[in-house]
Amino acid sequence: MNHSAPLEAARGWVDAARRIVVLAGAGISTDSGIPDFRGPKGVWTKNPAAEKLSTLQNYLADSDVRRAAWRGRLDSPAWSARPNAGHLALAALERRGKLHALVTQNIDGLHQRAGNSPERVIEVHGTIHFVTCWGCGWRGPMQPVLERVRAGEDDPACEACGGILKSATISFGQQLVPEVIARAMQAAEEADLLLAVGSSLQVYPVAGAVPAAKAAGARVVIMNAEPTPFDDMADAVLNGPLGELLPRVCAGSSETPPGPRAG
Ligand code: NAD
């Protein structure tokens, strides 16, 4: 596919923009070794039954589901994953002073590790780096709890109240944190350019940030390997690998990455 015209347009819009909001999805982290859910190699594409295990109701009701979740988490690729060229390009965008907010559906913490400041990263689906207690609301870091699992506790309970512990992520069937989603939607409405990157844009309400930004007057650029339901409303759609597209679209003219132009 010939990307050069929309890619050059997107790059020009980035140069001109002052309040860019990025809406990131799991596709930005696949190059770091963390599979997405719905892409061709996605966790649910390969194993549709896995979606059922991701619901809050199953997790809370069934200790077998919790044991499987903790076991699976022990060797999650997320613990050793490092930011890739796509994450680094978004950190560069912040260094250029253009990033208003980075709304991410990702739970892996790689944007912050790439250098984006935590204040600008809005984690609408939470983070795997923390754990919360479903009983008393205690919140603490994930790694000490994983140590307990390694030591033999297959369904570790809250040490304060004995309640069920769960990663601080938003599972399917779980309420989003209203203030967090409100902040994300407000940022989208304040954007002059919205970049939707690596998301199938099928998870609501956050996918609604795309039409919200458009309705508020922003340009919209969608970058993803596959089509999304919002491609028709976008000002440009770039279908390709984010590790190549993002550095080209986000770099300023003095930071132009080496290599051939897209085409
Ligand atoms: P998704 O799985 O629904 O869609 C990801 C999209 O990214 C797919 O359309 C896929 O084709 C595309 N993609 C994959 N690799 C790409 C690449 N290298 N270049 C360009 N495009 C690429 O993901 P979603 O929209 O973020 O929704 C899934 C939900 O799952 C989110 O809510 C998120 O919380 C969670 N999740 C997070 C992670 C993570 O934190 N890394 C991983 C898996 C799932």
Side-chain angles (χ1 to χ4, degrees):
M1 181 180 289
N2 184 348
H3 286 314
S4 55
L7 191 143
E8 287 309 323
R11 194 177 155 87
W13 294 332
V14 166
D15 284 344
R18 297 174 59 190
R19 289 184 316 282
I20 298 176
V21 171
V22 175
L23 170 58
I28 197 174
S29 292
T30 55
D31 281 350
S32 297
I34 304 175
D36 61 17
F37 281 168
R38 299 181 184 80
K41 296 179 188 160
V43 175
W44 294 348
T45 311
K46 287 187 180 167
N47 176 16
E51 183 169 359
K52 175 174 170 282
L53 295 182
S54 308
T55 68
L56 177 69
Q57 289 71 16
N58 286 321
Y59 187 89
L60 294 180
D62 188 343
S63 59
D64 285 343
V65 170
R66 294 198 292 279
R67 287 193 187 93
W70 285 112
R71 259 197 320 274
R73 202 163 285 133
L74 277 184
D75 41 40
S76 163
W79 309 132
S80 55
R82 297 167 63 85
N84 64 56
H87 297 106
L88 295 174
L90 298 184
L93 202 56
E94 182 172 340
R95 284 198 302 278
R96 291 178 70 192
K98 290 181 174 289
L99 187 71
H100 183 49
L102 202 179
V103 177
T104 188
Q105 300 173 80
N106 296 346
I107 55 179
D108 55 32
L110 289 179
H111 297 299
Q112 295 90 327
R113 284 196 60 191
N116 282 115
S117 39
E119 309 83 67
R120 291 208 188 260
V121 179
I122 305 176
E123 294 176 309
V124 284
H125 293 160
T127 172
I128 46 163
H129 295 286
F130 281 84
V131 168
T132 52
C133 172
W134 205 252
C136 68
W138 173 84
R139 181 180 166 101
M142 169 66 81
Q143 290 304 326
V145 181
L146 284 185
E147 281 310 315
R148 290 171 56 196
V149 179
R150 275 190 199 97
E153 290 183 61
D154 55 3
D155 181 14
C158 175
E159 287 179 322
C161 78
I164 292 174
L165 290 183
K166 180 186 167 301
S167 70
T169 54
I170 307 288
S171 301
F172 284 85
Q174 184 173 351
Q175 283 273 314
L176 292 154
V177 180
E179 307 81 64
V180 176
I181 196 73
R183 221 183 122 209
M185 297 309 275
Q186 184 181 338
E189 287 169 7
E190 290 164 352
D192 55 7
L193 174 63
L194 181 110
L195 306 177
V197 304
S199 175
S200 62
L201 298 177
Q202 290 179 36
V203 179
Y204 281 83
V206 71
V210 176
K214 183 76 185 168
R219 283 208 170 92
V220 168
V221 175
I222 295 179
M223 293 184 238
N224 199 47
E226 299 174 291
T228 80
F230 293 104
D231 288 1
D232 285 350
M233 76 162 54
D235 296 278
V237 176
L238 299 173
N239 290 132
L242 291 171
E244 292 176 21
L245 291 176
L246 276 171
R248 292 185 197 172
V249 169
C250 296
S253 38
S254 61
E255 288 187 71
T256 306
R261 290 160 74 92

